[in-house]
């Protein structure tokens, strides 16, 4: 069986995702066959694997860092929020129902533990090493009983744990100590070291604190990663462009033509796969920003209405804020608008939704000759085709089925009507030739003397980004110590730091029960039931770039 390591964090957004990706890239460059793993992810940013399974985009990018094909094994449980209190549960790449947060943490989560441990065991069987990512903080004592992604999986799989802390936020020493001290004796036995993220300045000034931390906890710091702009991988959530560094660079670098091109992205509620605009941000001379007021559309050459987990809710939000009227005025003036997935759906004439919002028939913005009906079964696909004379690849994640009734020309699976474009295809703008052709059309409609750079390769930019993450680990982490943890497992004799986890009559010392299948099958309209977990390998059976190192 292969070695392994769990990368935990003192908080959400401490840097777990990029550290995991960086370790994967560093290892694969050493000739190690490595895979990423995250037992449970909560994100509206997802991806479709070649076998048609939906997983978190962060795990897909970590797979790219490891130079392996992403699979459902790498993210067996994905939660896609549909509001403040419920999420769609995606199990082994397929949606299996909606659950309230209370319902999920009241037994359903534990019943998935067998599937999670089986997936990790399969990855370890077929790889030299598996680098696991935790979620939030391992010291969320209210959730420890049902934990399947932090110390629950670490103990079940006997993994050493490295805790990442964001020193740019301040309080990193207290965070490291407090995170450790709030864990039970059994959980603390797996905490093998700490890793400081986003450090600015002279590291020698930090070293006395690191020595004091080791004296207090008996655990070393295995790396101090410097603050670096423009590093990161596709974010799990948040109102950020995941290649924000590329956006900055494109602003200061001269455009290839005479003009820049300004892109405004409507920050709709439950925005999903906002990474679709990353490829635009990577183009020299293209400036991308998120907006939520109609006046912010005035100087935009292109308005993008992105995907959303709540199409009807997003439509109401656009109308309430006056953005719907502003978009309609743009369309009437022949100024470009692009709708992607949910954004495409709400640009149509009518939406029939008895699945997502259960709002029934709702009038859309009427800017595209399209009618949408929501189906219970989700479309998960990796389409490829041609548009604007260029080869295009993408991926689809949607319940809405679009009936295209006309338009001036076909556009992938959607259409163009005047200056309004719509498609369900995520990721299409990552196809370089197609992106350049589309931007030329936008520039022409906007009256801009903008010319796309002929040599921008989005795939090459991502590879460069992943290599920079690998460089951070190689140059600023104790790689010998990391290798020992991965190969040898949990070090013996790690001291207990009081007080430990507070006592709870409901707390289980051994983590979640490994019961595997046994969840009540889902029923129509029931938000608190799930079908049995799928057998491993049969998907059909069912953390900022703004700051630097996310």
């Amino acid at each position: 069986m292969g070695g392994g390591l769990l990368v935990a964090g003192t908080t959400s957004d401490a840097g777990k995702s990029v550290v995991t990706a960086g370790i994967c890239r560093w290892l694969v460059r050493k000739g190690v066959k490595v895979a990423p793993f995250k037992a449970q992810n909560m994100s509206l940013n997802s991806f479709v694997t070649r076998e048609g399974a939906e997983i978190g985009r962060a795990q897909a990018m970590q797979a790219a860092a490891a130079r392996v094909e992403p699979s459902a094994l790498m993210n067996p449980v994905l939660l896609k929020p549909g509001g403040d209190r419920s999420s769609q549960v995606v199990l082994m790449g397929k949606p299996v129902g909606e659950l309230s947060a209370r319902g999920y943490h009241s037994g359903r989560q534990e019943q998935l533990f067998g599937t999670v441990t089986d997936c990790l065991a399969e990855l370890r069987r077929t790889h030299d090493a598996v680098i696991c990512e935790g979620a939030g903080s391992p010291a969320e004592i209210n959730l420890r009983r049902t934990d399947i992604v932090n110390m629950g999986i670490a103990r079940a799989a006997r993994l050493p744990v490295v805790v990442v802390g964001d020193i740019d936020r301040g309080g990193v020493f207290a965070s490291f100590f407090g995170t450790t001290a709030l864990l039970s004796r059994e959980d603390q036995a797996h905490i093998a070291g700490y890793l400081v993220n986003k450090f600015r300045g002279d590291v020698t000034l930090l070293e006395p604190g690191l020595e004091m931390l080791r004296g207090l906890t008996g655990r070393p710091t295995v790396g101090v990663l410097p603050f670096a702009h423009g590093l990161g991988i596709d974010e799990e959530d948040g109102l950020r462009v995941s290649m924000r560094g590329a956006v900055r660079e494109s602003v200061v670098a001269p455009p290839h033509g005479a003009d820049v091109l300004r892109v405004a992205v409507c920050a709709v509620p439950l925005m999903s796969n906002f990474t679709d605009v990353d490829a635009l941000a990577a183009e020299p001379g293209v400036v991308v920003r998120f907006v939520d007021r109609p006046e912010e559309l005035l100087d935009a050459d292109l308005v993008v209405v992105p995907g959303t987990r709540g199409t009807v809710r997003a439509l109401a939000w656009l109308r309430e804020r006056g953005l719907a009227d502003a978009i309609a005025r743009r369309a009437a003036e022949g100024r470009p608008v692009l709708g992607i997935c949910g954004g495409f759906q709400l640009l149509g004439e009518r939406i029939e939704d008895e699945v997502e919002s259960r709002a029934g028939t709702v009038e859309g913005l009427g800017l595209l000759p399209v009618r949408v009906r929501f189906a219970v079964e989700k479309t998960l696909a990796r389409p490829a085709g041609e548009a604007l004379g260029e080869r295009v690849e993408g991926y689809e994640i949607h319940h809405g089925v679009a009936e295209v009734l006309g338009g001036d020309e076909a556009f992938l699976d959607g259409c163009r009507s005047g200056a309004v474009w719509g498609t369900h295809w995520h990721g299409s703008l990552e196809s370089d030739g197609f992106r350049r052709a589309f931007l030329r059309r936008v520039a022409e409609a906007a009256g801009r003397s903008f010319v796309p750079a002929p040599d921008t390769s989005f795939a090459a930019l991502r590879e460069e980004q992943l290599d920079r993450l690998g460089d951070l680990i190689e140059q600023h982490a104790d790689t010998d110590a990391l290798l020992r943890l991965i190969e040898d497992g949990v070090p013996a004799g790690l001291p207990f730091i009081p007080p430990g986890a507070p006592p709870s009559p409901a707390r289980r010392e051994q983590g979640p029960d490994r019961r595997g299948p046994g969840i009540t099958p889902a029923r129509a309209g029931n938000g608190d039931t799930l079908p049995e977990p799928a057998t491993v390998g049969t998907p059909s059976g069912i953390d900022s770039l703004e700051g630097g190192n996310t």
Side-chain angles (χ1 to χ4, degrees):
M1 177 175 288
L5 177 72
L6 176 69
V7 178
T10 56
T11 63
S12 295
D13 207 29
K16 298 183 292 292
S17 293
V18 295
V19 168
T20 300
I23 293 175
C24 285
R25 178 50 58 101
W26 160 65
L27 285 173
V28 77
R29 292 194 307 207
K30 288 177 61 66
V32 177
K33 186 179 181 183
V34 59
F37 177 78
K38 186 163 185 173
Q40 171 194 297
N41 198 352
M42 176 172 280
S43 179
L44 287 172
N45 237 7
S46 59
F47 181 76
V48 179
T49 67
R50 294 203 179 278
E51 68 267 26
E54 184 179 8
I55 65 172
R57 276 198 67 98
Q59 279 61 66
M61 287 299 294
Q62 289 163 354
R67 296 180 179 146
V68 294
E69 188 68 29
S71 80
L73 293 173
M74 298 172 184
N75 181 206
V77 180
L78 172 64
L79 306 178
K80 303 193 72 175
D84 294 335
R85 295 180 180 273
S86 67
S87 294
Q88 182 181 69
V89 181
V90 179
L91 178 61
M92 291 302 295
K94 302 296 181 183
V96 295
E98 295 275 338
L99 273 181
S100 66
R102 180 177 294 277
Y104 187 63
H105 288 286
S106 297
R108 305 318 198 270
Q109 186 180 34
E110 296 174 80
Q111 292 171 327
L112 301 176
F113 198 59
T115 298
V116 164
T117 53
D118 286 347
C119 288
L120 177 55
E122 177 64 14
L123 288 174
R124 296 182 78 180
R125 185 184 69 81
T126 55
H127 293 78
D128 301 327
V130 178
I131 308 303
C132 307
E133 180 187 345
S137 163
E140 291 168 350
I141 54 179
N142 57 314
L143 301 178
R144 175 60 185 94
R145 183 179 65 85
T146 57
D147 169 44
I148 66 172
V149 65
N150 289 308
M151 303 313 299
I153 195 70
R155 287 176 58 183
R158 300 179 180 177
L159 295 172
V161 178
V162 169
V163 181
V164 179
D166 179 358
I167 197 170
D168 198 47
R169 297 181 177 188
V172 73
F173 292 116
S175 297
F176 284 145
F177 183 86
T179 296
T180 307
L182 276 177
L183 301 178
S184 70
R185 184 181 298 272
E186 295 80 5
D187 285 353
Q188 284 192 27
H190 289 259
I191 303 297
Y194 310 108
L195 193 149
V196 177
N197 191 27
K198 297 186 188 178
F199 179 71
R200 304 172 189 254
D202 185 351
V203 72
T204 62
L205 299 177
L206 187 66
E207 287 171 353
L210 302 180
E211 285 302 313
M212 287 186 276
L213 180 67
R214 182 164 192 161
L216 287 167
T217 66
R219 293 159 172 85
T221 297
V222 296
V224 178
L225 306 185
F227 186 100
H229 286 289
L231 283 182
I233 60 175
D234 293 0
E235 308 238 14
E236 292 183 355
D237 277 305
L239 192 57
R240 289 178 288 259
V241 181
S242 73
M243 290 186 72
R244 182 63 62 87
V247 175
R248 282 207 185 104
E249 290 161 12
S250 71
V251 172
V252 298
H256 194 70
D259 288 344
V260 299
L261 209 60
R262 294 175 175 83
V263 178
V265 184
C266 295
V268 296
L270 298 175
M271 183 167 50
S272 60
N273 288 71
F274 56 86
T275 47
D276 284 328
V277 301
D278 285 356
L280 297 178
E283 284 284 349
V286 176
V287 182
V288 177
R289 67 182 188 275
F290 288 97
V291 303
D292 59 5
R293 296 190 301 270
E295 56 270 23
E296 293 177 295
L297 305 187
L298 293 176
D299 66 344
D301 301 305
L302 170 66
V303 169
V304 177
V305 187
T308 171
R309 246 277 277 165
T311 300
V312 171
R313 177 176 170 181
L315 179 58
W317 181 86
L318 290 172
R319 285 175 168 144
E320 289 166 1
R321 289 181 170 258
L323 285 161
D325 289 339
I327 291 171
R329 286 194 297 271
R330 288 184 62 89
E333 295 165 359
R335 303 177 65 200
V337 176
L338 171 64
I340 303 174
C341 200
F344 164 45
Q345 295 167 4
L346 60 81
L347 292 176
E349 297 173 353
R350 188 175 69 201
I351 300 168
E352 297 177 19
D353 182 10
E354 298 291 350
V355 176
E356 189 175 77
S357 68
R358 300 180 184 176
T361 300
V362 178
E363 296 301 312
L365 296 186
L367 303 181
L368 290 174
V370 173
R371 294 179 183 176
V372 176
R373 176 185 54 81
F374 273 69
V376 174
E377 185 174 351
K378 181 185 282 190
T379 296
L380 295 170
R382 288 280 293 272
E386 186 175 299
L388 307 183
E390 298 287 347
R391 180 74 175 169
V392 191
E393 294 183 359
Y395 58 99
E396 295 183 67
I397 307 170
H398 55 91
H399 284 279
V401 178
E403 180 185 8
V404 179
L405 303 173
D408 297 324
E409 66 176 315
F411 183 66
L412 304 176
D413 69 331
C415 65
R416 176 185 68 84
S417 181
V420 182
W421 312 69
T423 178
H424 274 130
W425 290 23
H426 294 290
S428 61
L429 294 168
E430 295 178 19
S431 298
D432 296 328
F434 169 73
R435 181 181 65 254
R436 287 192 277 267
F438 177 70
L439 289 176
R440 282 193 289 268
R441 296 280 289 269
V442 168
E444 180 182 0
R448 292 285 186 187
S449 297
F450 170 83
V451 179
D455 55 354
T456 300
S457 168
F458 187 70
L461 286 172
R462 276 193 162 159
E463 272 298 297
E464 178 186 333
Q465 200 176 39
L466 293 170
D467 274 333
R468 291 177 67 196
L469 290 177
D471 292 344
L472 272 184
I473 298 299
E474 186 172 347
Q475 297 169 12
H476 300 283
D478 185 342
T479 53
D480 290 339
L482 288 176
L483 275 177
R484 283 195 300 272
L485 291 175
I486 293 167
E487 293 175 351
D488 300 338
V490 182
L494 293 170
F496 171 67
I497 310 301
S504 169
R507 183 168 166 269
R508 296 199 183 108
E509 289 299 323
Q510 296 304 317
D513 291 340
R514 196 182 182 282
R515 288 178 285 182
I519 302 175
T520 306
R523 299 187 298 273
N526 188 341
D528 286 333
T529 57
L530 288 172
E532 294 185 357
T535 303
V536 172
T538 57
S540 60
I542 336 244
D543 316 305
S544 87
L545 286 182
E546 170 116 20
N549 320 14
T550 305

